[in-house]
Amino acid sequence: MIFWAEDIPAAPGRARGRLAPSPTGFLHLGNAWAFWMAWLDARSRGGECVLRFEDIDPARARPEYAEAVARDLAWLGLDWDYGPGAGNGKENPDIFLQSRRAARYRDALNFLRARGLVYPCYCTRKELRDIAGAPHVDDAGAPYPGTCRRLTDAEKKRLEAAGRSHSLRLLCPEKTPWRFTDALMGDREMTLEQCGGDFALRRSDGVFAYQLAVVVDDITMGVTTVVRGKDIQVSTPRQLYLYSLFGVTPPRYAHLPLVTDETGARLAKRHASLTLASLRDAGVWPETILGWLAAASGMRKEFAPLRAREAIKDFSFAAVGAENLRLPPDPAAFFLAAQR
């Protein structure tokens, strides 16, 4: 089938990780933590790294953010073998920008539709939460109740005549437990009902949803390990289900503790002062940031400047603690004081 064509040649027996930022804003310290860990995991096992931009939502993604993200990753000391800026002909935007991969997602969607696993959902955005962005465990909400699962053709026509557009949802076996071993959190078991039930594959405006796109991308790019924050763990059973439907072995997963502000809140766009660009402009060094992340996570006993590559040799997820990494009240001032 067309969508199984390799976008990146497979490297049997070799690890391949990915850095998959959404260019909807500037990278903050939480992003730096997740991407550094994904990079360290791949490099410590002699593997490759892919950089791709998850710019699938046209209302939020901006090319200037993509440029800033690549610049920030390089400033931290990270590199990649495939993706924008990789050179050597390994940076084709038709591969590494989700916005240009609609044909891939359409083929995958049609594969599922042909098996009777997809149905239209006429519920409005006001009735349901937005499905465009990557979900988080604390806002997964109540499971979708299957409102549109058993609509008759007559009911569908009546809704369409009333001007209702529809998204497309995947029919899920809600009670089936999905088990996986997390590289940090150990053995896990969750049902799709716990993760929101029947999930969207395409929005009512035609934009493909995160879950479908990320699985198709990881399959065709040969990704063997997915490293991300534990707030995204709710996505894992959904993605495991898609892998099973496509008949593909899923990657290894690692869900990290989060970087939070001094109150314990997850970092978000409201934390503008904690973007890598803001800290860099304030005079903070990347080695200082990485040194703090290593100490706060338990990877190092003491807070000391650390280059990205210096952590490769003895990297292990076993050294990463389970607790979130809580920042001091004024991180920029704290980092600058440590540099004196």
Side-chain angles (χ1 to χ4, degrees), residues 62 178 283 295:
R62 297 285 185 275
W178 291 88

Side-chain angles (χ1 to χ4, degrees), residues 22 86 100 115 121 125 127 141 152 165 177 184 224 256 261 279 286-287 297 304 328 330-331 334 337:
S22 297
R100 300 196 187 185
R115 283 150 183 77
C121 173
R125 289 191 183 186
E127 296 164 334
T152 65
S165 56
L184 278 94
T224 62
L256 302 165
D261 66 15
L279 293 170
E287 297 84 359
S297 65
D330 188 344
F334 175 80

